[in-house]
């Protein structure tokens, strides 16, 4: 099916919910105004619709090929990448000093939203390249920045993140890849990495690998990991001692090469230290945290794509009789189908709002040197990664349901959305790990003061939105009360680590669900204000309806999640006896 870039919804989310107007007014980005934003996003939407979306289905069906270390992407991908790169899309948020546009992360997030929805397999590569730029900006030496940033920012070269090994997935303390000083300021890297996105491909001439490895005298565990830059092609033009040993045959994302990378077959790949020795994991988290925002955004993007397709199908597919007895009627006239479609659309809007608010916090933290914004970005990062990924999976699953039997037939494309988005709950730190991070590290900071401040802000929004939401305002208030209660329970003295860990995932789900409802309510208030000022745009009422539906139909799950959190993990003591076999 065709894809329509949701530019109006994106601009409304940026402006009415994420605070773009405030960032413009505060002058954090010189020359940024609403006209520039609209022009940029219109152009991004045209690229999404005309260049990237046509690659999605053929790319999935053809997939990537590996032959003796050479990886070939599907037809059309190299040409599309060249066009995308020449348009400057890789450097939207990169500093202008290195050839970027110097625009906000929130605008880059909006661009990625559309481009990922058009073709997620294509959009994965730039995520890692942009992350490599962030790492070098924060931790690279002047020499490494000068040698690699210009071509990474432009997209002439791409970047990768090499963490995972066969025996070391989420537990990087088990990492074995070695790096030995060569005596000339470089290192020789030996080892194997798996699940490396775009580790090898035919889109660019060079690929810049960021590799976690251990020095000979490194302490054990995660405190002994260093970060190295190892390019595919060395500065003298010769090939480095690294290769793609194979690609994975995955559930989805068939057009994205997921590579096994072998370093040091002939003595060691040449690498340069990034940051300080044995501080590599801290450096890599610069890349991982931004990648977690991008991963959550992938959930938003696929949810958008699945919703568009399901709605188009429901308008065309005729089956059964409508409530007035006419038939066969388009299935969109059936209340249960309407419920599913509104659930898809409202959950997509809520997830987008959470992602964009997180991006805005990053902008204020980085450009405004705002410590509160930095803390907010840290708090929301695990939420946006897990909540938005879960949203993408749930919405894609509903899309299959609306298609009925045709949903599980590959011809319609509905199944591809679920296949593609399913991994978002796993990579860049599983959603369970995000929940643990939220509950054990982010929530307790300053005694929970940041979450308390957010709850106060969201409760004020609920009060202001009461006239717009109608009866459903009470459901949003109940969700906020449930989150407040569960938060207090987790922060209370005497809670054991076992209790916190057992309730971590339902707490993150509760947090994301409630945040989404509050932010949609904020958008609904702004939308009603626009209407009262004379704006008659046809899509305004739709946003209010989605906020009401979410509050009345999605938010009521919150009290149940809170009860699960506060059950205290009573199952843990009995679980092993049941599961021992």
């Amino acid at each position: 099916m065709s894809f329509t870039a949701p530019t109006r919804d994106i601009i409304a989310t940026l402006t009415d919910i994420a605070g773009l107007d405030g960032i413009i007014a505060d002058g954090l980005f010189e020359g940024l105004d609403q006209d520039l934003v609209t022009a940029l996003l219109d152009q991004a939407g045209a690229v999404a619709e005309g260049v990237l979306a046509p690659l999605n289905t053929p790319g999935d069906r053809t997939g990537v090929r590996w032959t003796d270390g050479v990886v070939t992407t599907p037809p059309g991908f190299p040409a599309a990448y060249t066009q995308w790169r020449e348009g400057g899309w890789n450097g939207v948020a990169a500093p202008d000093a290195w050839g970027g546009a110097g625009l906000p992360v929130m605008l880059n997030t909006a661009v990625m939203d559309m481009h990922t929805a058009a073709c997620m397999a294509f959009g994965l590569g730039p995520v890692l390249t942009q992350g490599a730029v962030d790492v070098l900006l924060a931790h690279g030496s002047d020499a490494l920045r000068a040698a690699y940033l210009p071509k990474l920012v432009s997209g002439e070269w791409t970047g990768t993140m090499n963490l995972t090994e066969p025996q070391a997935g989420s537990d990087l303390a088990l990492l074995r890849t070695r790096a030995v000083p060569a005596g000339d300021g470089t290192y020789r890297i030996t080892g194997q990495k798996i699940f490396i996105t775009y580790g090898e491909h035919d889109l660019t001439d060079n690929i810049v690998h960021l590799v976690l490895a251990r020095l000979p005298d490194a302490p054990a565990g995660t405190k002994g990991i260093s970060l190295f830059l190892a390019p595919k092609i060395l500065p003298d033009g010769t090939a480095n001692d690294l290769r793609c040993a194979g690609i994975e045959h995955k559930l989805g994302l068939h057009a994205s090469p997921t590579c096994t990378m072998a370093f040091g077959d002939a003595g060691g790949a040449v690498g340069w230290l990034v940051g300080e020795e044995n501080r590599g994991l801290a450096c890599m988290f610069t890349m991982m945290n931004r990648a977690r925002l991008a991963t959550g955004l992938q959930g938003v993007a696929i949810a958008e794509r699945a919703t568009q397709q399901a709605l188009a199908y429901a308008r065309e597919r005729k089956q059964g009789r409508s409530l007035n007895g006419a038939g066969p009627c388009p299935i969109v006239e059936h209340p249960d189908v309407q419920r599913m479609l509104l659930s898809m659309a409202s959950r997509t809007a809520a997830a987008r709002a959470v992602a964009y608010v997180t991006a805005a916090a990053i902008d204020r933290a980085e450009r405004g040197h705002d410590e509160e914004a930095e803390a907010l970005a840290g708090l929301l990062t695990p939420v946006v990664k897990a909540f938005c990924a879960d949203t993408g999976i749930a919405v894609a699953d509903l899309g299959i349901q609306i298609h009925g039997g045709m949903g599980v037939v590959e011809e319609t494309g509905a199944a591809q959305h679920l296949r593609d988005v399913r991994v978002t709950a796993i990579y860049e730190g599983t959603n369970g790990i995000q929940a643990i991070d939220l509950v054990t590290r982010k929530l307790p900071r300053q005694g929970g003061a940041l979450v308390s401040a957010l709850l106060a802000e969201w409760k004020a929004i609920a009060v202001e939105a009461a006239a717009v939401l109608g009866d459903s305002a009470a459901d949003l208030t109940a969700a906020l009360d449930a989150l407040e209660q569960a938060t207090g329970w987790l922060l209370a003295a005497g809670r054991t680590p076992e209790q916190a860990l057992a309730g971590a995932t339902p707490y993150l789900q509760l947090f994301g669900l409630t945040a989404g409802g509050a932010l949609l309510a904020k958008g609904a208030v702004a939308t009603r204000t626009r209407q009262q000022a004379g704006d008659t745009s046809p899509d305004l009422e739709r946003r209010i309806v989605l906020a009401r539906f979410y509050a009345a139909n999605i938010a009521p799950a919150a009290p149940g999640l809170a009860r699960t959190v506060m059950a205290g993990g009573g199952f843990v003591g009995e679980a092993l006896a049941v599961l021992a076999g």
Side-chain angles (χ1 to χ4, degrees):
M1 64 158 288
S2 60
F3 168 70
T4 301
T7 310
R8 287 184 179 179
D9 286 343
I10 283 174
I11 291 176
T13 305
L14 288 170
T15 304
D16 296 342
I17 298 176
L20 175 62
D21 283 353
I23 284 179
I24 292 174
D26 291 345
L28 295 183
F29 294 85
E30 185 178 356
L32 182 65
D33 58 27
Q34 194 65 49
D35 288 341
L36 188 155
V37 170
T38 301
L40 177 78
L41 296 182
D42 281 343
Q43 292 172 20
V47 171
E49 295 173 0
V51 178
L52 303 183
L55 301 176
N56 193 53
T57 300
D60 177 68
R61 292 175 179 172
T62 302
V64 294
R65 300 193 309 275
W66 177 91
T67 305
D68 296 330
V70 176
V71 173
T72 304
T73 57
F77 269 63
Y81 181 81
T82 298
Q83 184 175 347
W84 181 86
R85 173 181 63 78
E86 290 177 347
W89 297 110
N90 196 63
V92 170
D96 52 12
W98 296 104
L103 292 172
V105 170
M106 62 194 306
L107 285 190
N108 189 55
T109 299
V111 170
M112 291 176 64
D113 187 347
M114 289 188 275
H115 291 176
T116 303
C119 184
M120 181 175 167
F122 180 96
L124 289 180
V127 168
L128 283 308
T129 304
Q130 293 169 18
V133 169
D134 292 333
V135 169
L136 290 178
L137 285 170
H139 307 290
S141 65
D142 290 342
L144 285 180
R145 290 177 186 172
Y148 291 97
L149 275 179
K151 291 190 176 182
L152 284 172
V153 168
S154 71
E156 185 176 345
W157 294 347
T158 60
T160 70
M161 178 167 58
N162 289 252
L163 286 78
T164 306
E165 299 179 6
Q167 80 292 339
S170 300
D171 188 357
L172 292 175
L174 303 176
L175 186 147
R176 295 175 186 164
T177 297
R178 310 294 291 180
V180 178
D184 59 357
T186 66
Y187 296 77
R188 297 298 177 268
I189 301 170
T190 56
Q192 185 183 86
K193 300 289 185 177
I194 62 172
F195 301 154
I196 309 306
T197 300
Y198 277 86
E200 178 59 43
H201 56 76
D202 56 359
L203 306 183
T204 62
D205 294 332
N206 203 1
I207 302 170
V208 180
H209 299 283
L210 294 178
V211 187
L212 289 180
R214 293 186 184 280
L215 294 167
D217 57 351
T222 57
K223 294 181 179 180
I225 299 174
S226 300
L227 180 63
F228 301 88
L229 183 152
K232 174 182 175 180
I233 304 299
L234 294 167
D236 64 5
T238 61
N240 206 349
D241 183 14
L242 58 89
R243 63 184 176 87
C244 174
I247 58 174
E248 301 298 338
H249 302 282
K250 310 183 296 293
L251 172 70
L253 297 173
H254 295 157
S256 169
T258 302
C259 302
T260 296
M261 300 301 300
F263 295 85
D265 286 349
V270 177
W272 286 264
L273 181 68
V274 178
E276 300 177 15
E277 292 185 355
N278 304 321
R279 294 281 298 162
L281 198 55
C283 296
M284 187 61 90
F285 265 108
T286 299
M287 190 174 194
M288 290 180 67
N289 282 332
R290 194 64 60 86
R292 286 171 176 172
L293 169 60
T295 300
L297 192 67
Q298 289 159 14
V300 176
I302 295 302
E304 175 67 42
R305 188 75 186 263
T307 299
Q308 287 191 21
Q309 178 163 341
L311 179 57
Y313 182 83
R315 287 169 172 167
E316 296 174 358
R317 171 65 167 163
K318 292 184 177 181
Q319 186 166 292
R321 295 184 176 276
S322 66
L323 292 178
N324 64 16
C329 68
I331 63 173
V332 72
E333 295 184 21
H334 298 309
D336 188 55
V337 174
Q338 294 170 2
R339 176 189 58 80
M340 288 190 284
L341 288 167
L342 287 172
S343 178
M344 294 172 75
S346 65
R347 294 178 72 168
T348 300
R352 177 174 286 126
V354 173
Y356 286 19
V357 165
T358 305
I362 292 172
D363 282 322
R364 288 201 170 274
E366 293 182 351
R367 280 299 182 108
H369 306 290
D370 186 327
E371 293 183 359
E372 291 185 6
E374 183 177 6
L376 178 62
L379 175 72
L380 292 180
T381 291
V383 177
V384 72
K385 192 278 181 186
F387 170 68
C388 295
D390 283 343
T391 296
I393 293 167
V395 170
D397 184 64
L398 277 175
I400 290 176
Q401 189 69 25
I402 287 173
H403 281 76
M406 293 304 295
V408 295
V409 175
E410 291 290 354
E411 180 181 350
T412 64
Q416 182 190 344
H417 304 318
L418 183 58
R419 289 190 288 101
D420 284 352
V421 78
R422 183 60 184 86
V423 72
T424 60
I426 298 172
Y427 62 17
E428 303 304 340
T430 67
N431 284 5
I433 289 174
Q434 305 308 312
I436 292 169
D437 178 43
L438 175 64
V439 167
T440 64
R441 295 181 64 246
K442 304 299 176 57
L443 175 62
R445 289 179 180 173
Q446 300 178 338
L450 181 55
V451 177
S452 295
L454 272 179
L455 278 165
E457 177 185 331
W458 293 343
K459 285 192 170 187
I461 289 171
V463 171
E464 186 180 9
V468 182
L469 298 182
D471 293 342
S472 63
D475 297 306
L476 177 57
T477 299
L480 289 163
D481 289 341
L483 177 58
E484 184 174 47
Q485 187 178 12
T487 300
W489 187 88
L490 284 169
L491 291 171
R495 294 288 166 255
T496 66
E498 182 179 81
Q499 290 173 320
L501 293 175
T505 289
Y507 179 77
L508 187 150
Q509 293 169 341
L510 168 63
F511 194 110
L513 181 151
T514 307
L519 294 176
L520 287 187
K522 179 181 180 180
V525 170
T527 299
R528 178 52 54 84
T529 300
R530 291 180 186 278
Q531 289 178 323
Q532 291 171 344
D535 191 337
T536 58
S537 301
D539 54 341
L540 294 183
E541 191 62 30
R542 170 181 171 273
R543 293 178 196 137
I544 293 175
V545 169
L546 291 181
R548 287 175 180 161
F549 179 90
Y550 189 96
N553 294 272
I554 309 299
L561 287 169
R563 287 194 293 272
T564 301
V565 173
M566 295 183 292
F571 65 86
V572 174
E574 303 170 339
L576 290 181
V578 174
L579 302 174

